[in-house]
Amino acid sequence: MRQKLSDEAKALALATLPNWHLSAERDAIERRLVLKDFSQAFAFMTRVAIAAEQLDHHPEWFNVYRTVDILLSTHDVDGLSDLDIALARRIDAFAADFG
Ligand code: HBI
């Protein structure tokens, strides 16, 4: 069973995820990415989708043209879990590939 992250664990994790911030509305983390164009944004999203399937953990996201807004939270615990942190790290690695 997934465990919900404590406030301390959240703070420690976020200290290592400088591109992410806590959502104002939910127990979640958010990041906005702006890619070079729509094609790059969709290619990025495709890589994230494959990682999400591998982790069996999926983002809540919104894409308009070259911008991708991502929110990560764990439905099963109605909050943040270590899977959100793991997926955030994978997302940051993909983002770095797109420059
Ligand atoms: N993705 N963000 C998120 N949160 C979940 O709880 C979750 C998921 N993807 C798949 C998944 N849970 C399944 O493991 C469960 O719905 C069975």
Side-chain angles (χ1 to χ4, degrees), residues 2 56-58 73-76:
R2 293 172 181 155
D56 187 27
H57 197 70
H58 303 82
S73 186
T74 301
H75 311 142
D76 292 350

Side-chain angles (χ1 to χ4, degrees), residues 19-79:
N19 298 303
W20 297 79
H21 60 271
L22 286 174
S23 166
E25 289 82 35
R26 292 175 51 190
D27 191 3
I29 55 173
E30 299 172 319
R31 179 179 179 181
R32 165 167 285 189
L33 295 104
V34 180
L35 289 305
K36 291 184 175 74
D37 54 31
F38 176 71
S39 175
Q40 291 290 292
F42 202 83
F44 165 77
M45 292 176 75
T46 300
R47 293 188 65 181
V48 172
I50 293 166
E53 282 294 278
Q54 290 169 341
L55 288 171
D56 187 27
H57 197 70
H58 303 82
E60 298 171 38
W61 48 7
F62 184 77
N63 161 247
V64 174
Y65 182 47
R66 57 198 286 248
T67 299
V68 183
D69 289 321
I70 305 175
L71 181 143
L72 301 179
S73 186
T74 301
H75 311 142
D76 292 350
V77 301
D78 193 25

